Amino acid sequence: MSEEMKEVNVGGINGLGESLINTNSAEFRSLRDMIKSRFATQDKESIIENHLLSVRFQMESYINTPGIEIKVPGLFIENFLKAVNVSKKQLSKYLDYEYTNLISVLKGRRKINSDLAIKLGQIFEIDPAIWLHIESKNELMKEMPRTQKKLSLTGLLNKAS
């Protein structure tokens, strides 16, 4: 698993940084082995479906988790492409989208617009708003540290009177 895809729960299961599960126990090893054997018997379609579902969960987790590092939407697009074994060039042709523009989206130099969000939503069965929420979250995360002046309703009312 790539470093980009690895999800780490620093707080542990109980939020105290300690796991409630003994990963060295016989029960845990047995469960892990059962999951691995079940995974090995899945057909190709099920494996792809599970990978796509995993990326969807990563997207939703990113949107709903405050204060984590910025992830460009292109990271999720690339993970979808890996799951279905489709190249960036094939995607750009299918979308009738300039390859260089797609690369710019993947690298975060260009934003996903509503048209692209709709197309990606149709292909990967993701609500187009999720793609736009990721862009919005990234914009807010970039701007928050730059906002130095603290504003409030009380301050506004004081200035207005």
Side-chain angles (χ1 to χ4, degrees):
M1 180 182 290
S2 74
E3 286 299 311
E4 296 166 339
M5 290 187 63
K6 195 179 288 184
E7 294 290 332
V8 177
N9 183 0
V10 178
I13 292 172
N14 59 4
L16 300 174
E18 300 171 6
S19 176
L20 296 175
I21 299 172
N22 179 357
T23 57
N24 294 319
S25 70
E27 293 88 3
F28 179 82
R29 288 194 308 267
S30 174
L31 177 62
R32 183 189 59 216
D33 293 343
M34 185 175 63
I35 291 170
K36 283 182 179 181
S37 69
R38 170 88 169 129
F39 180 78
T41 62
Q42 287 182 330
D43 60 21
K44 186 177 180 178
E45 187 176 303
S46 295
I47 291 171
I48 290 171
E49 194 175 305
N50 287 333
H51 283 289
L52 295 175
L53 188 59
S54 170
V55 177
R56 286 185 199 122
F57 286 148
Q58 291 172 31
M59 292 172 74
E60 290 174 7
S61 176
Y62 176 68
I63 290 170
N64 295 316
T65 304
I68 59 177
E69 75 180 55
I70 292 176
K71 292 183 182 181
V72 296
L75 170 71
F76 301 109
I77 296 171
E78 289 189 64
N79 289 340
F80 277 125
L81 293 177
K82 285 178 195 170
V84 295
N85 197 27
V86 170
S87 74
K88 297 167 194 168
K89 276 198 190 271
Q90 290 169 322
L91 177 64
S92 69
K93 284 182 183 179
Y94 183 71
L95 293 172
D96 195 24
Y97 199 76
E98 282 291 325
Y99 179 71
T100 54
N101 290 342
L102 178 63
I103 295 301
S104 292
V105 168
L106 297 177
K107 300 296 179 193
R109 294 187 300 258
R110 181 178 218 139
K111 293 181 175 141
I112 291 181
N113 60 26
S114 56
D115 179 58
L116 184 55
I118 291 167
K119 290 175 180 178
L120 291 170
Q122 290 173 343
I123 293 169
F124 298 113
E125 298 178 5
I126 299 282
D127 182 349
I130 291 177
W131 295 106
L132 300 176
H133 284 307
I134 291 171
E135 287 288 6
S136 296
K137 177 178 181 160
N138 290 347
E139 281 295 308
L140 288 170
M141 287 176 62
K142 287 176 192 172
E143 291 298 321
M144 296 278 281
R146 290 191 244 174
T147 305
Q148 296 172 4
K149 188 175 182 182
K150 297 294 179 195
L151 304 173
S152 68
L153 179 58
T154 304
L156 172 63
L157 295 174
N158 288 339
K159 287 280 188 186
S161 56

